[in-house]
């Protein structure tokens, strides 16, 4: 395979054969030039003349490809429109035409025939016949190289974009609330003192939460069932810390394993509810999780009770929106009213 117009040995052999065919065609036409064959038949029909002709056309051919490769890499032909490719081919065609004239004149001069007198009639037909033959082969070859070069650039661009997207996604994935760990440890200390049995359960749930977080580091999607299992442990920790003031109501289909979404999506949404809404045991908050749009999306909805001392930053939802954009090029939808706040996130099915 060619990459950036660089030849592998196999491709070099194939290209050499193409230019050898051009040299052979030139030699046969030259041998049929009556004036040349009559003037120097021994020289013209010698193995040395044949080998030199083939060598010259291979040197010319590979030199043209090297120049074309340099043009592509240094002047960025393919980033400046198709007209640059056309000009590239045109310049190569003119150079080849001039070279054919020069070679023909040098051959006549070497044999001892007046060079200028030969550039007319049959001489012109000879030059243009070999030039057209060469341009057909070189044009097809350069077009193929140009296409491969363009595809190579496109592939490299997509690979770089994917690497950048994954790096950005992992950075976004790690933007979890660091206060959660400190609050959980403080709660654990209190539970150890006042309710050792509950402290054991709390420790297990905390372990489950952080084990899940670590396991999802390199994952792009997880099943909805895994997210819900994680969410149960996550909500339990908050219930121990804040009291029974947060409940999750699920209205979901049975085939949860086939439904995918980015990891820690539900955690982020629940954290957003806890951060921005007032709740206590007398006025608990219920978060309803259900599918909408015939199962194409997931709705996470809660009553809107904004805290007076918390100004919404939107950072968490921007995080989630960026993750969806990077992973599946989809958008989340936010619906807000005086009574309810709802986030609708797309679902992915296997």
């Amino acid at each position: 395979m060619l990459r950036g117009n660089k030849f592998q040995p196999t491709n070099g052999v194939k290209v050499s054969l193409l230019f050898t065919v051009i040299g052979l065609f030139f030699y046969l036409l030259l041998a049929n030039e009556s004036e040349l064959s009559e003037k120097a038949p021994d020289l013209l029909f010698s193995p040395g003349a044949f080998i030199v002709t083939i060598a010259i056309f291979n040197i010319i051919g590979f030199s043209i490809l090297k120049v074309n490769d340099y043009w592509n890499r240094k002047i960025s032909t393919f980033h400046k429109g198709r007209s640059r490719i056309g000009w590239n081919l045109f310049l190569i065609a003119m150079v080849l035409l001039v070279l054919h004239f020069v070679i023909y004149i040098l051959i006549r001069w070497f044999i001892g025939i007046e060079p200028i007198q030969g550039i007319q009639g049959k001489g012109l037909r000879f030059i243009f016949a070999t030039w057209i033959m060469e341009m057909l082969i070189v044009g097809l070859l350069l077009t193929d190289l140009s296409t491969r070069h363009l595809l190579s650039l496109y592939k490299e661009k997509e690979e770089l974009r994917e690497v950048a997207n994954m790096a950005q996604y992992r950075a976004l994935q790690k933007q979890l609330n660091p206060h959660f760990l400190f609050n959980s440890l403080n709660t654990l200390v209190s539970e150890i003192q006042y309710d050792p049995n509950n402290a054991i359960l709390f420790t297990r749930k905390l372990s489950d939460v952080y084990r899940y977080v670590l396991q999802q580091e390199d994952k792009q999607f997880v099943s909805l069932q895994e997210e819900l299992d994680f969410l149960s442990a996550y909500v339990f920790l908050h219930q121990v810390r804040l009291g029974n003031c947060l409940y999750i109501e699920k209205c979901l289909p049975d085939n949860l394993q086939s439904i995918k979404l980015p990891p820690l999506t539900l955690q982020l949404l629940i954290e957003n509810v806890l951060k921005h809404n007032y709740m206590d045991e007398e006025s608990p908050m219920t978060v309803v999780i259900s599918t909408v749009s015939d199962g194409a999306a997931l709705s996470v909805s809660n009553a809107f009770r904004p805290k007076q001392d918390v100004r919404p930053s939107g950072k968490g939802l921007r995080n989630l929106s960026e993750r969806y954009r990077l992973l599946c090029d989809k958008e989340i939808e936010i619906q807000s009213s005086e009574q309810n706040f709802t986030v609708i996130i797309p679902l992915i099915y296997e």
Side-chain angles (χ1 to χ4, degrees), residues 292-334:
V292 294
S293 302
D294 295 327
L298 191 72
S299 170
V300 179
S301 181
N302 60 276
F304 188 51
R305 302 179 195 161
K307 292 180 180 178
Q308 299 299 319
D309 57 341
V310 177
R311 294 183 60 184
S313 64
K315 181 179 178 180
L317 293 180
R318 281 200 303 270
N319 178 310
L320 184 60
S321 179
E322 279 293 299
R323 287 164 65 185
Y324 263 94
R325 184 184 62 80
L326 291 172
L327 287 175
C328 54
D329 196 26
K330 294 184 178 181
E331 299 290 338
I332 68 172
E333 180 182 349
I334 300 173

Side-chain angles (χ1 to χ4, degrees), residues 202-258:
F202 186 91
T203 303
R204 289 174 179 171
K205 295 294 185 181
L206 183 62
S207 174
D208 291 340
V209 165
Y210 275 90
R211 184 185 302 110
Y212 181 82
V213 171
L214 293 174
Q215 288 173 345
Q216 310 315 312
E217 184 176 1
D218 295 320
K219 292 184 179 180
Q220 295 184 1
F221 298 103
V222 296
S223 71
L224 179 55
Q225 183 63 64
E226 290 178 279
E227 277 287 283
L228 291 172
D229 292 341
F230 160 74
L231 189 62
S232 296
Y234 181 75
V235 170
F236 173 81
L237 298 180
H238 284 290
Q239 288 174 336
V240 173
R241 185 172 67 88
L242 302 174
N244 294 324
C245 60
L246 177 66
Y247 297 94
I248 306 297
E249 182 179 323
K250 306 170 190 175
C251 303
L252 300 168
D254 296 329
N255 58 333
L256 299 183
Q257 287 294 338
S258 64

Side-chain angles (χ1 to χ4, degrees), residues 11-75:
N11 295 316
V13 172
K14 291 179 181 179
V15 171
S16 179
L17 288 174
L18 289 176
F19 288 113
T20 298
V21 170
I22 297 173
L24 178 61
F25 181 74
F26 182 90
Y27 178 78
L28 292 175
L29 288 180
L30 193 65
N32 288 320
E33 176 84 36
S34 59
E35 188 178 6
L36 296 178
S37 59
E38 291 174 2
K39 187 72 176 179
D42 294 337
L43 179 63
L44 190 61
F45 294 103
S46 66
F50 175 77
I51 294 172
V52 169
T53 303
I54 299 300
I56 288 174
F57 276 88
N58 271 276
I59 292 171
I60 292 173
F62 279 98
S63 298
I64 288 172
L65 294 179
K66 286 291 184 181
V67 171
N68 182 68
D69 178 56
Y70 177 85
W71 180 272
N72 291 338
R73 290 184 289 107
K74 299 298 183 182
I75 310 181

